[in-house]
Amino acid sequence: MTIATLDFVPTELARGRGGEFAGMVAKGAGPSRSAFLSGFFTLVGTHGVHVTGGLIFLVYMMAQVVAKGLRPHVLRRLLCFSLFWHALDIIWVGVFTLVYLMGAR
């Protein structure tokens, strides 16, 4: 994975979510319309912020590995990042189920 790819992915994800949010608000389905939509905007938006932060930290960690190698303190940071990233995966399964699957009823 190249740095250009890492720059492209969050940009496209943000553009996609932003476009989806703007389209929903334009149709009158904004966060103030219902509790479900308020939860939708909060959950999906918060998840997007965490993913973007994680991708930024991933680039930072890649730079650290290149500059310092796999020293013990760098390995510990990689382990902490790994736990954070996989926690996001688990949370996204719950958010996806709640918002997209149960919300489609």
Side-chain angles (χ1 to χ4, degrees):
M1 185 178 285
T2 65
I3 298 298
T5 303
L6 289 173
D7 182 47
F8 174 77
V9 171
T11 303
E12 288 305 307
L13 288 174
R15 201 177 301 166
R17 281 296 148 235
E20 181 180 354
F21 283 1
M24 290 176 68
V25 170
K27 292 178 184 175
S32 61
R33 181 166 181 173
S34 69
F36 173 79
L37 287 171
S38 178
F40 171 82
F41 279 89
T42 301
L43 286 171
V44 175
T46 301
H47 178 72
V49 167
H50 282 99
V51 168
T52 302
L55 289 171
I56 291 167
F57 191 66
L58 176 64
V59 171
Y60 173 75
M61 288 305 302
M62 288 170 49
Q64 259 195 356
V65 168
V66 169
K68 298 181 180 182
L70 291 173
R71 295 181 182 168
H73 65 281
V74 174
L75 285 173
R76 188 183 73 241
R77 289 181 189 143
L78 283 172
L79 175 63
C80 290
F81 174 75
S82 174
L83 291 172
F84 168 79
W85 196 254
H86 291 298
L88 279 178
D89 291 339
I90 293 167
I91 291 168
W92 181 244
V93 169
V95 169
F96 180 80
T97 301
L98 177 71
V99 172
Y100 288 102
L101 299 180
M102 294 177 70
R105 292 183 185 187

